[in-house]
Amino acid sequence: MRETTAQQDLIRGVWNENPVLVQLLGLCPALAVTNTVLNSLAMSGATLFVLLGSSLFVSTLKKLIPHEVRISTYILIIATFVTIADMTLAALAPAVYAEIGNFIALIVVNCMILGRQEAFASKRPVGRALLDALGTAAGFTIAMLMMGTFREVVGSGTLLQGTDFVINLFGPNYEPWVVMISPPGGFFTLGFILLFLGWWEDRRLKTKEIRHWPHSVRAPARKEAA
Amino acid sequence: MSDEIRKDGMPPGADSLENKGEEGEDPGKQEHPHREEVMPRDHELYTPQGGGGGTGGGPIREVAVLGDKESVVSGSSGGVTLPQVGPEVATAEALGRAPGEEAEAPGGVPERPEVSSFRLLMTLALAGAIAGALLVFVFQWSDPLIRAEQARVLQEAVTEVLQSPDRFEEVYVLGGEVMAQVPEGASGQPVDTVFLGYDEAGNTIGFAIAGDGFGFQDLIYVIFGYEPAAGELLGMKVLGHKETPGLGDKIVKDSAFVSEFRGLETRWSAEDSLFIRGASSTRSTGDPDEVEMITGVTISSKAVVKIINERIAELGDLLAAYEPGGGEATGTAVGGREEGR
């Protein structure tokens, strides 16, 4: 196991190993509930809570959980926190719950969360596990907001719909792209985002290669001299 | 310098891996010095592709390529640095990261002490018990809040569809009879609850009736205000639905559609056995008993009209004949709609 610093644990999940955009985990909520910014935020909040809670427990109890039943126990812990999140959201934010309530229960099977427990929290100290959970949840939130913002702006022509700060962006004559707030729009959006990021990363690597080209050319000459 | 390290200091795995890329032996390397020096650079950049060692799963590779920033940076700083960052190290780095760590677990700890079934059982039972207990507490806290919210939503809906009554009370329909109170011993039978609204003078305004029926995807829950004497609808509100966002949800969001139900007249006709009718915008005649469907939302808007029709057919006559017990509503005309049937 490679040693990492606390800072790396926190930062890693945010962008470089973003759970949705790089690891392609947790796609169900990313596709299903990102039709408005508010829904994306609520889902991210619930996921943050579940991730923090289950990482805390899994990391604390890692020595007590026998290897053979670890997955069942992790799922049990995750399911408990999901149910708590479900009830809390229903009690405190009924309007949001009415829209995304069905998908809150599905956080249980979000493999991003189980993946963090199995790969990280079950092997590291509590503090590191919490940092990792925070970073992963932040990365999840970033991805959700990217999708939610794009889909709401194009699909409804608004921003922050459902809150008191709703902004109507294009005026009354805008004809919304309804497909963008329906499930196919989620696939389109995610596809375009991944396409762009892949192109960007490819370009970055190529630039780096070209920049260091002189070294590669010089090196053989040195070797021949020796 | 780099030459020496390559011959002596290189880890054993590194050689084979490099050869794998080259597909040749040592003599081959000597003949193509340029290629050899270019290869390491590729190798540093795409670490896991060279050093897969049988664990070349798709996700692992992707994560490592994008995420292994340090190895990329350190590799590029010193020209020919392949010997320092041997493929084995780099592979371990790539595997040491999530989600590649999974691959390490079975191999890393090969011998695990036997755990008794009893302990496994106890662990799960204990975890389940604790989880259950925790959920009981959260439920006890959240349940009253959720119920209060549901009651508030219902009250708001009744107020809205009855056009702000002074007060309203629950009325029960049980076995073909309308009553102000459910009699003792009737707990097992299905009770239909409607809401009777009064104005300031104590006259009845009308009934708020809830109903449900299938829309495009799932049940649509509707509540509407109905004045049996004049046979007039007072308003309609969708309580819950799972229709397509952006399309079907216009039955809630389209204010023109919703406001059409206010003041809509019911007219029963034996031809179609309907009280109110839905018409597409092109065929709309503007009759007072006609609701204009939303274009593209035909199924959902028709479902709303159907639900209201069914509920009026079911309860209309009963409610029209009902006189509230208090006696304050003596002026209510009864049977104003009867000639229709």
Side-chain angles (χ1 to χ4, degrees):
Chain A
M1 196 187 311
R2 208 175 78 114
E3 283 307 309
T4 51
T5 65
Q7 203 183 357
Q8 281 172 334
D9 286 344
L10 179 64
I11 297 300
R12 180 184 45 215
V14 177
W15 189 253
N16 279 352
E17 289 180 19
N18 186 297
V20 177
L21 302 175
V22 179
Q23 300 186 45
L24 299 185
L25 295 175
L27 291 186
C28 165
L31 293 168
V33 302
T34 51
N35 50 6
T36 66
V37 174
L38 182 66
N39 288 355
S40 308
L41 271 181
M43 191 56 165
S44 305
T47 309
L48 166 70
F49 171 75
V50 175
L51 203 50
L52 273 181
S54 42
S55 284
L56 172 69
F57 271 66
V58 166
S59 184
T60 312
L61 303 173
K62 59 181 178 284
K63 295 238 166 62
L64 298 175
I65 300 172
H67 186 76
E68 288 81 354
V69 292
R70 67 190 194 289
I71 300 287
S72 331
T73 317
Y74 299 162
I75 287 287
L76 195 59
I77 293 172
I78 294 169
T80 308
F81 280 99
V82 168
T83 315
I84 293 176
D86 189 77
M87 291 173 174
T88 309
L89 200 64
L92 298 184
V96 176
Y97 185 78
E99 291 229 3
I100 68 167
N102 290 342
F103 295 98
I104 295 290
L106 286 177
I107 298 178
V108 177
V109 290
N110 187 336
C111 40
M112 175 185 95
I113 293 171
L114 183 62
R116 290 332 289 165
Q117 311 313 324
E118 167 74 3
F120 198 90
S122 60
K123 297 171 184 168
R124 310 286 170 117
V126 178
R128 292 295 181 85
L130 288 180
L131 282 179
D132 177 71
L134 267 181
T136 308
F140 183 72
T141 310
I142 288 173
M144 294 287 278
L145 279 183
M146 279 170 79
M147 292 191 63
T149 311
F150 181 74
R151 287 179 70 186
E152 188 182 335
V153 165
V154 178
S156 307
T158 59
L159 207 53
L160 292 171
Q161 189 187 88
T163 66
D164 295 339
F165 312 103
V166 56
I167 305 163
N168 211 325
L169 287 171
F170 304 119
N173 288 331
Y174 179 69
E175 183 63 39
W177 299 15
V178 173
V179 69
M180 293 312 286
I181 54 172
S182 62
F187 284 95
F188 286 140
T189 310
L190 186 67
F192 281 127
I193 291 177
L194 293 182
L195 188 67
F196 175 75
L197 290 180
W199 169 78
W200 185 261
E201 185 65 20
D202 197 42
R203 188 172 162 276
R204 195 178 68 82
L205 289 178
K206 273 184 187 147
T207 321
K208 196 180 274 290
E209 213 169 342
I210 290 165
R211 200 180 299 142
H212 294 291
W213 177 245
H215 294 287
S216 309
V217 177
R218 251 201 316 271
R222 230 177 20 223
K223 195 184 172 194
E224 274 161 20
Chain B
M1 171 210 163
S2 66
D3 215 355
E4 277 174 25
I5 297 171
R6 176 149 309 176
K7 288 225 168 86
D8 304 324
M10 192 154 56
D15 225 306
S16 67
L17 279 163
E18 210 176 25
N19 287 345
K20 205 186 281 174
E22 284 280 300
E23 218 184 333
E25 289 76 31
D26 278 346
K29 273 194 213 166
Q30 304 287 337
E31 281 166 32
H32 304 286
H34 284 266
R35 178 149 171 71
E36 194 199 358
E37 290 303 336
V38 172
M39 281 306 287
R41 177 141 319 280
D42 285 345
H43 178 83
E44 282 161 29
L45 287 171
Y46 304 100
T47 304
Q49 285 181 354
T55 59
I60 297 176
R61 186 180 306 165
E62 276 171 31
V63 168
V65 170
L66 296 180
D68 231 5
K69 207 167 195 171
E70 299 93 88
S71 76
V72 170
V73 172
S74 67
S76 60
S77 58
V80 189
T81 44
L82 174 69
Q84 281 92 6
V85 189
E88 274 197 341
V89 181
T91 308
E93 269 183 20
L95 287 174
R97 296 170 159 273
E101 280 166 0
E102 266 182 352
E104 204 182 53
V109 193
E111 289 190 20
R112 202 177 292 281
E114 187 95 353
V115 183
S116 70
S117 312
F118 180 72
R119 182 154 174 243
L120 301 183
L121 211 61
M122 281 312 291
T123 308
L124 282 179
L126 203 65
I130 294 172
L134 194 60
L135 287 184
V136 167
F137 285 117
V138 180
F139 180 78
Q140 279 180 342
W141 162 76
S142 66
D143 192 49
L145 285 175
I146 296 172
R147 281 173 189 278
E149 173 62 24
Q150 282 169 346
R152 193 188 62 78
V153 167
L154 187 64
Q155 185 159 358
E156 238 172 44
V158 170
T159 309
E160 192 180 320
V161 297
L162 290 180
Q163 309 303 335
S164 310
D166 188 46
R167 65 190 175 86
F168 62 84
E169 65 185 21
E170 291 186 4
V171 177
Y172 307 94
V173 183
L174 177 66
E177 273 186 80
V178 188
M179 55 199 75
Q181 243 150 31
V182 181
E184 298 282 323
S187 55
Q189 300 171 49
V191 178
D192 215 340
T193 308
V194 297
F195 302 87
L196 177 57
Y198 298 92
D199 64 9
E200 285 91 345
N203 299 319
T204 55
I205 300 174
F207 295 91
I209 306 167
D212 55 57
F214 273 101
F216 187 64
Q217 299 191 353
D218 201 348
L219 287 173
I220 299 177
Y221 298 89
V222 169
I223 190 165
F224 62 98
Y226 177 60
E227 213 281 273
E232 190 182 285
L233 288 190
L234 301 169
M236 184 280 293
K237 187 177 168 66
V238 176
L239 289 173
H241 73 95
K242 294 202 173 67
E243 305 298 280
T244 324
L247 289 169
D249 65 357
K250 281 187 189 164
I251 57 171
V252 183
K253 291 178 178 165
D254 190 332
S255 54
F257 175 74
V258 173
S259 63
E260 265 190 277
F261 288 88
R262 186 174 179 176
L264 194 71
E265 284 175 26
T266 62
R267 184 172 60 82
W268 193 83
S269 109
E271 288 170 36
D272 51 7
S273 305
L274 292 177
F275 291 89
I276 57 171
R277 284 146 199 92
S280 65
S281 50
T282 48
R283 287 186 207 152
S284 174
T285 54
D287 285 351
D289 64 331
E290 199 174 78
V291 186
E292 199 177 302
M293 304 283 88
I294 314 168
T295 311
V297 196
T298 318
I299 294 175
S300 304
S301 23
K302 272 195 174 153
V304 173
V305 170
K306 184 162 169 261
I307 294 166
I308 295 178
N309 270 316
E310 282 173 356
R311 290 297 276 170
I312 295 179
E314 199 178 336
L315 296 175
D317 290 344
L318 290 173
L319 295 178
Y322 176 71
E323 279 190 67
E328 70 258 79
T330 44
T332 311
V334 173
R337 211 201 77 253
E338 285 302 296
E339 77 277 359
R341 302 206 74 166

